[in-house]
Amino acid sequence: MKAVRFHEYGDPDVLSYEDVEQPVPGAGEVRIRVAATSFNSVDGNIRGGFMQGPIPVVLPHTPGLDVAGTVDALGEGVDGIAVGDQVVGFLPMDKPGAAAQYVIAPSEILAAAPKSVPLADAAALPLVSLTAYQALFDHAKLTAGQRVLINGAGGAVGGYAVQLAKNAGAYVIATAGPRSSQQVKTAGADEIIDHTTAEVTEKVTEPVDVVLNLAPIDPAQLAALPALIRPGGVLVNTTVWMPAPSDEQRGVRGIDLFVRSDADQLSRLVALIDSGELRVDVAQRVPLAELPAVHARAATGELHGKAVIVAPAA
């Protein structure tokens, strides 16, 4: 089969499009004929060698944490999934990924793919939507009527976070630049702050219950965010190289989010897509052979929106 792999850590040019052996599922695993994967910023960090501690991959490594595709072989002891099922999943971060024509997945991480979007586009869903869901509901315990500030709402996680928070009945304040402000407005934000022209701390004049920080901001800017949160509120931070600040005197908690695979939550998100309550945004669809160029654009800051990486037909 065709796959993109890197044999050493480094810049995007370590990625190569090559022929590899088709994998065989073990006990509790399935093999998926990949329709698509997607690019996530963590893919670049793993390839660059910056995540060797928390995510120890074996070289050569195939990237691609998201998968959408069709089950084509079952390992021993797999129940509830059949050959021919269309599925989505967030793959184990330390195992071979879905930048290939076939990938192995533990059966318990998979959810039925949404029926209302093309199968390949569903690869844009798992990691980023689970990040948004877990930040808002597992950690921040967001409820209707609360005020939430989503800092960095213009990215892929932010798009889902705005939609999910709005669906939950929250009042949503979002920061976004000029390029993504319309998209954030369409997602349902009640207020939009242009972070390129104003400091968020000056624009948020009433306390919020929750801050979700998705942006790689200056440490001083991150440290200023708890002051916007009412006593007893929470700041959830996804830029884990900068620990989440807190304010113990006022009972404001800071939580660093490490996203986890969760098939039940993913099924819930798929149901929201199929009911029309959640929209999947795909900025571009790129053939698998061109994945190295996607990594290169991401490394120079030129990759905007969610890129879906489409596998060649088997």
Side-chain angles (χ1 to χ4, degrees):
M1 67 172 186
K2 291 292 186 183
V4 171
R5 301 198 297 179
F6 56 90
H7 295 252
E8 59 183 337
Y9 296 113
D11 293 335
D13 60 9
V14 300
L15 292 164
S16 64
Y17 184 58
E18 54 194 42
D19 291 303
V20 302
E21 286 293 316
Q22 205 177 94
V24 177
E29 297 178 332
V30 304
R31 186 172 64 203
I32 299 167
R33 188 171 77 248
V34 177
T37 184
S38 83
F39 176 82
N40 294 288
S41 57
V42 70
D43 290 316
N45 292 330
I46 294 170
R47 183 215 70 239
F50 307 119
M51 305 293 284
Q52 293 180 57
I55 309 173
V57 301
V58 176
L59 299 179
H61 178 69
T62 303
L65 298 169
D66 292 315
V67 66
T70 304
V71 174
D72 96 309
L74 305 177
E76 191 180 337
V78 172
D79 293 318
I81 295 178
V83 169
D85 286 356
Q86 294 190 336
V87 293
V88 290
F90 168 26
L91 296 167
M93 298 178 90
D94 60 346
K95 296 290 190 290
Q101 288 179 298
Y102 292 88
V103 68
I104 298 298
S107 62
E108 69 270 12
I109 69 151
L110 298 171
K115 294 181 167 52
S116 56
V117 299
L119 182 58
D121 284 4
L125 181 70
L127 188 152
V128 287
S129 67
L130 285 170
T131 300
Y133 188 95
Q134 290 168 18
L136 292 171
F137 304 115
D138 289 358
H139 297 294
K141 312 293 186 191
L142 185 72
T143 56
Q146 290 189 317
R147 289 165 55 83
V148 57
L149 168 65
I150 299 172
N151 195 42
V157 175
Y160 289 113
V162 171
Q163 293 182 76
L164 290 168
K166 196 64 188 165
N167 288 351
Y171 183 88
V172 180
I173 306 166
T175 71
R179 186 174 51 241
S180 54
S181 60
Q182 185 56 50
Q183 187 176 324
V184 171
K185 184 178 181 181
T186 302
D190 296 287
E191 291 180 39
I192 299 173
I193 298 168
D194 183 350
H195 64 82
T196 65
T197 61
E199 285 291 336
V200 64
T201 47
E202 295 168 6
K203 291 291 184 179
V204 179
T205 53
E206 292 178 46
V208 298
D209 300 278
V210 174
V211 169
L212 173 52
N213 181 59
L214 307 170
I217 53 176
D218 182 272
Q221 292 175 305
L222 184 62
L225 292 177
L228 303 176
I229 304 172
R230 64 158 180 80
V234 61
L235 184 152
V236 183
N237 178 49
T238 63
T239 58
V240 292
W241 61 91
M242 292 190 293
S246 57
D247 183 343
E248 291 175 16
Q249 287 185 317
R250 297 169 53 247
V252 174
R253 293 175 301 129
I255 297 170
D256 290 306
L257 171 68
F258 295 89
V259 65
R260 60 187 172 79
S261 191
D262 187 310
D264 289 338
Q265 290 180 352
L266 192 52
S267 293
R268 225 168 292 163
L269 291 157
V270 166
L272 289 172
I273 290 165
D274 282 341
S275 68
E277 297 171 77
L278 193 63
R279 194 180 68 251
V280 176
D281 282 320
V282 175
Q284 52 188 299
R285 298 162 186 85
V286 180
L288 177 61
E290 295 174 24
L291 179 58
V294 173
H295 276 247
R297 289 204 301 277
T300 56
E302 297 171 75
L303 186 68
H304 305 303
K306 191 67 172 166
V308 162
I309 313 301
V310 182

